[in-house]
Amino acid sequence: MSNQFDVIVIGAGPGGYIAAIRAAQLGKNVACIDAWSNAAGGAAPGGTCTNVGCIPSKALLQSSEHFEHAGHAFADHGISVKGLAIDAAKMVARKDAVVKQNNDGILYLFKKNKVTFFHGTASFVKAVAPGATSGAQGGYEIAVAGKAPATLVGAQIIVATGSNPRALPGAAFDEQQILSNTGALALTEVPKKLGLIGSGVIGLEMGSVWRRLGAEVTVLEGLPTFLGAVDEQIAKEAKKAFDKQGLKIELGVKVGEVKVAKKGVTVAYTNAKGEAQTLAVDKLIVSIGRVPNIDGLNAQAVGLQLDERGAIVVDAECKTNLPGVWAVGDVVRGPMLAHKAEEEGVAVAERIAGQHGHVDFNLIPWVIYTSPEIAWVGRTEQQLKADGVAYKAGSFPFLANGRARALGDTTGLVKILADAKTDEVLGAHIVGPMASELIAECVMAMAFKASAEDIARICHAHPSLSESTKEAALAVDKRTLNF
Ligand code: FAD
Ligand code: NAI
């Protein structure tokens, strides 16, 4: 096997593995290197997303939702459950099996697309001039450290090395009592008292999982506003639902010293009124954001430029300061989302192949997989106001949707924001059942520059939750039919 590749992708998370597959589809000779190992020491491609992120969190959210439904919602349907119990270890084992299916799926896709996979840590060695080794196109020499060390040369390099959880100063993750997402997804017993720092996406999703299973959950959030990036009306509705569920969220706190004892953790903090408080919990999840990861990459060997946050500096096309070196996903600017990483990976592979890959950063949807789910795309009402855009808003509550009533889940609403003059959809915001699925229609509408009237004129199946999107679009013109 030649060690020269057209494209070497470093990292097989959603940014990297998708870039590798797309480049191979376009006829490139591609290698992908990933360091992640499973408990048995085998390759576990898929990155944070597959191993300790999107997939395992959704598996646990599903299990815990089943448990909550069995305990609270089934009775309404005339279904009685006796002796309901949770086997958290089994739930986590199922989650691990789901992760493994996804790891194996990626290895299969590499084979299918003829991507050569290396399990190990990749580091830059040096730039290689064309013809420096016989038949070489030149590019960059990359060393792979691991069970099967190798030295490769790639004409083009795509760095997709992801991100790591940010720790609280003075409270390093031990994954026993102070947990990052990794530990939070691996608890095999339900803690009696669980604390979370940060009521962002992980705080809400993980807090929901363990609350549903019986933990007493307290979330301490530094900012005075709940979900500040979310449309205010939607955030308010979501907060109401979380309060009702008993997810205790304290806003505007200042976290102080975190002390770990043999059993339990105490967090000293000042509440929004400025009063000194202490939170004593069995486990503490710290979910205060993530930082770009370049561990082991030896970026300095080739002079790869980083910004002050440690992210690799790229332009709008994901080009770094080095010719032939690209970077995508969590390790660069922009939202840390799997689908954003994937879109960048595809676009870069296409650019390398001489095509015109494109990512519309204004149309990246966000989803928080709590119950109710929260999903949005485009601008919020507060952003439109700040931008001085004249807009019309239309909303429709799930309470008035037949399918939601049949499901027994009528929390929330769909809201559509459209340009006052042209009626073009500028934002869509959903809190409620299956918001994660419903948002796709809105993204597509916005990608096609649809007006609210366009959505309103489309025939939506009845009864379906998606009729709420149609009704919200009708509401923009103040003519809902069912509310
Ligand atoms: P990663 O997925 O982090 O992959 C990077 C890979 O590179 C890793 O496998 C790593 O081992 C490897 N690597 C790093 N350095 C090297 C090296 N030097 N050599 C070889 N390999 C290396 N996003 C969503 O869109 N939806 C969700 O529902 C969602 N849920 C999440 C839940 C949690 C708990 C967390 C933590 C994150 C979640 N995310 C979600 C975010 C999502 O996981 C990330 O945005 C996504 O994984 C980023 O993809 P990436 O390819 O940039 O990096
Ligand atoms: P986040 O950025 O979503 O939320 C962090 C929260 O912590 C913020 O509300 C912030 O104000 C607060 N915070 C920061 N420092 C604090 C401090 N010292 N004390 C108290 N509060 C503090 O980050 P999170 O939840 O860690 O998730 C990281 C990223 O992972 C997300 O931003 C997202 O990109 C991705 N993710 C995506 C998911 C999805 O798409 N469903 C699910 C989970 C994670």
Side-chain angles (χ1 to χ4, degrees), residues 70-378:
H72 299 286
F74 279 11
D76 232 23
H77 295 257
I79 305 167
S80 54
V81 180
K82 290 206 176 71
L84 182 67
I86 181 74
D87 180 342
K90 189 163 179 190
M91 178 184 78
V92 167
R94 174 193 174 269
K95 178 266 301 179
D96 290 340
V98 173
V99 167
K100 173 95 173 43
Q101 281 168 3
N102 282 274
N103 297 141
D104 292 348
I106 295 167
L107 290 171
Y108 160 78
L109 290 171
F110 282 158
K111 269 207 184 109
K112 181 181 162 204
N113 289 282
K114 302 192 171 51
V115 171
T116 310
F117 177 68
F118 293 85
H119 181 207
T121 302
S123 55
F124 280 102
V125 181
K126 59 180 188 231
V128 182
T133 56
S134 91
Q137 307 167 48
Y140 296 86
E141 187 177 310
I142 304 290
V144 184
K147 281 184 195 152
T151 303
L152 316 176
V153 177
Q156 303 277 327
I157 309 292
I158 304 175
V159 181
T161 46
S163 61
N164 289 319
R166 189 155 76 86
L168 268 176
F173 295 115
D174 58 16
E175 304 300 359
Q176 296 301 316
Q177 280 160 301
I178 302 184
L179 315 176
S180 71
N181 52 301
T182 302
L185 290 161
L187 289 173
T188 50
E189 270 177 42
V190 182
K192 208 160 166 292
K193 288 188 174 190
L194 175 68
L196 291 106
I197 312 289
S199 68
V201 199
I202 297 181
L204 293 175
E205 290 188 356
M206 287 297 99
S208 293
V209 166
W210 296 106
R211 181 204 56 76
R212 290 169 187 170
L213 299 175
E216 189 187 312
V217 177
T218 306
V219 188
L220 300 179
E221 166 60 46
L223 291 178
T225 323
F226 178 64
L227 288 180
V230 175
D231 186 273
E232 263 171 32
Q233 187 186 357
I234 300 291
K236 224 168 127 187
E237 193 73 16
K239 179 74 167 49
K240 225 167 52 190
F242 297 140
D243 287 347
K244 209 165 135 197
Q245 291 164 7
L247 188 67
K248 196 170 161 216
I249 303 168
E250 278 204 53
L251 300 172
V253 310
K254 196 167 180 331
V255 173
E257 198 184 358
V258 176
K259 276 195 196 150
V260 179
K262 244 195 182 148
K263 275 195 162 195
V265 184
T266 53
V267 182
Y269 69 99
T270 315
N271 69 14
K273 292 185 200 144
E275 298 159 344
Q277 304 283 324
T278 307
L279 175 72
V281 289
D282 301 307
K283 307 272 179 190
L284 182 72
I285 298 173
V286 176
S287 48
I288 56 169
R290 298 179 62 85
V291 287
N293 167 44
I294 54 149
D295 294 351
L297 190 63
N298 201 20
Q300 66 280 11
V302 285
L304 187 61
Q305 194 189 342
L306 307 177
D307 69 14
E308 61 292 345
R309 289 184 321 126
I312 296 176
V313 176
V314 290
D315 66 9
E317 298 203 316
C318 294
K319 281 186 185 135
T320 70
N321 64 314
L322 302 173
V325 180
W326 312 72
V328 301
D330 281 12
V331 77
V332 304
R333 66 349 194 194
M336 289 185 169
L337 295 173
H339 42 283
K340 176 265 192 183
E342 290 180 17
E343 292 301 309
E344 286 182 333
V346 167
V348 165
E350 292 179 348
R351 285 171 197 137
I352 287 173
Q355 298 186 353
H356 300 281
H358 175 69
V359 182
D360 187 342
F361 288 99
N362 296 316
L363 289 186
I364 295 172
W366 274 85
V367 178
I368 307 178
Y369 294 83
T370 43
S371 177
E373 291 187 344
I374 305 164
W376 70 98
V377 60

